[in-house]
Amino acid sequence: MTTVQSPPAPPTAIRPKVVARTGLYAVLAANAAVVTWFAVQAGFASNALVVTGRFAGLYAALLMAFQLLLVARLPWLDRRIGMDRLTNWHRWTGFGLLWTLVGHVVFIAFGYAQSSSMNPVSQVVDLAETVEGVFRAVVAMGLILVIGGASARWARRRLAYETWHFIHLYAYVAVVLAFTHQIAAGTTFTASSAATAYWYAVWGVALGSVLLGRLVLPLWRNWRHQLRVEAVVPEADNVVSVYITGRDLDRMPARAGQFFLWRFLTKDRWWQANPFSLSAAPDGTRLRLTAKAAGDGSASLRHLAPGTRVFAEGPYGAFTAMHRTRPEAVLIAGGVGVTPIRALLEEIHGHAVVIYRVAGERDAVLYDELRELAVAKGAELHLVTGPSAPDRLAPRELAALVPDIAQRDVFLCGPPPMMNAVLGILRELDVPKPQIHFERFSLAG
């Protein structure tokens, strides 16, 4: 493919990831300060437990809005941080939210119970029956407990992705119920018009971000580009490349190393979205994905007919040359993880060393393309074959292949065990962490 190249951008002093992460922290801290200020302005209850419970509820609501922002798939954040890290932050923020909500319920229940003759459980039941909005909060809490349980590691291993995703959709019901509870029963954001306007603005931005990133933007891009399957090309017995064409693809903001969630609109596949990386740098006329038959979805790709309509969400991911910090690079691929590496080699500027780790030469998908690209770009290409033990990419072997590896950016993609092993080796070789670029492609195929 002929790639539309842009002039190489010099490595920046401040990494895009640092800018985005600092911005997120600053937004959360600033809003926590504003919430605290409004709470102080609204006044305190006489019971210290009730005061503590109210603050816990306010911060829990703020965490809930922040969670929505993390999974909104906003392009600016996704390109700088990556969907995998944003999703991981969302997960851990969710556990923080869960315990903060538990604290809210416990402190409020014991606080009110101190001034009544009821026990804490009866007090919660009484509040749900007599105070407007509290019953909705109880239902929201129950939903969040179910979602939190489904997100625990032991549960995720046992649940099908579709089941887990369906359970997570109830989070939006919990959000609506929690927000109406805050407006009906809370005093902090009804004490002044400024506080009310602020709270509506926070939730408007959070919910609006989800609506924009997960619905409006994908619909707009697919309407604009009208994607279709152009050709299906077998690369090996169990590997196939799918070429996608459409309108105005030179305006599709995709970069080498990113991935899409692909939905092929046939009668038996339209409901299923498969995440695959681009296996060639976008050239303004077509996109290409290359997939190994690892399941029913990827195995059926070879039967797609040219002209099949495609609905694609994306591009997603921060595994791009945007994050380079050094003029030279090492690209390390394992197995079918070669797809974003091959695309990166096509786009990347400066001297590159490519290391392709496979069990045997017959497993080296796209190797001929890699070799041609390496010759054209003056890159070094090393095909490393053999069993995983003894490790052919141990520290000594990797240092022999790339003696100056600590002075290069390292882009890594492959199966999780291989990636974990190589990340450990890079630490042993004292490669600075800011120079190591990878994504956990469990979401990206």
Side-chain angles (χ1 to χ4, degrees), residues 319 332 341 410-414 418-419 422-423 437-439:
F319 191 66
I332 303 176
I341 293 294
V410 180
F411 290 85
L412 170 65
C413 186
M418 175 258 191
M419 288 181 61
V422 173
L423 288 172
H437 313 285
F438 66 95
E439 281 187 317

Side-chain angles (χ1 to χ4, degrees), residues 304-317:
L304 288 172
T308 299
R309 289 291 302 272
V310 181
F311 188 94
E313 297 176 50
Y316 298 127

Side-chain angles (χ1 to χ4, degrees), residues 33-188:
V34 172
V35 165
T36 303
W37 186 81
F38 278 127
V40 172
Q41 291 296 109
F44 296 132
S46 58
N47 188 302
L49 291 176
V50 173
V51 171
T52 303
R54 286 179 178 173
F55 271 101
L58 291 173
Y59 297 140
L62 192 58
L63 284 176
M64 191 178 290
F66 188 65
Q67 271 207 303
L68 292 176
L69 188 64
L70 291 176
V71 293
R73 298 180 184 172
L74 298 177
W76 190 89
L77 281 177
D78 187 81
R79 286 195 299 265
R80 286 160 177 80
I81 296 178
M83 186 189 290
D84 63 333
R85 288 174 177 83
L86 288 170
T87 303
N88 194 46
W89 294 357
H90 169 83
R91 179 174 179 268
W92 286 109
T93 302
F95 289 126
L97 166 65
L98 178 61
W99 288 111
T100 308
L101 284 174
V102 169
H104 170 62
V105 173
V106 169
F107 282 117
I108 289 290
F110 277 87
Y112 276 100
Q114 278 188 351
S115 57
S116 71
S117 58
M118 299 181 187
N119 61 58
V121 174
S122 299
Q123 184 66 66
V124 171
V125 173
D126 181 69
L127 289 172
E129 292 176 343
T130 59
V131 179
E132 183 185 0
V134 173
F135 178 74
R136 280 169 276 176
V138 171
V139 175
M141 182 67 185
L143 291 174
I144 291 171
L145 286 172
V146 171
I147 294 166
S151 299
R153 198 174 299 276
W154 62 269
R156 281 290 290 118
R157 292 195 183 108
R158 291 164 174 78
L159 289 173
Y161 173 78
E162 290 78 10
T163 303
W164 175 84
H165 186 264
F166 180 77
I167 292 172
H168 255 64
L169 291 178
Y170 282 99
Y172 296 106
V173 178
V175 165
V176 173
L177 292 173
F179 178 72
T180 57
H181 160 69
Q182 295 154 23
I183 297 301
T187 58
T188 299

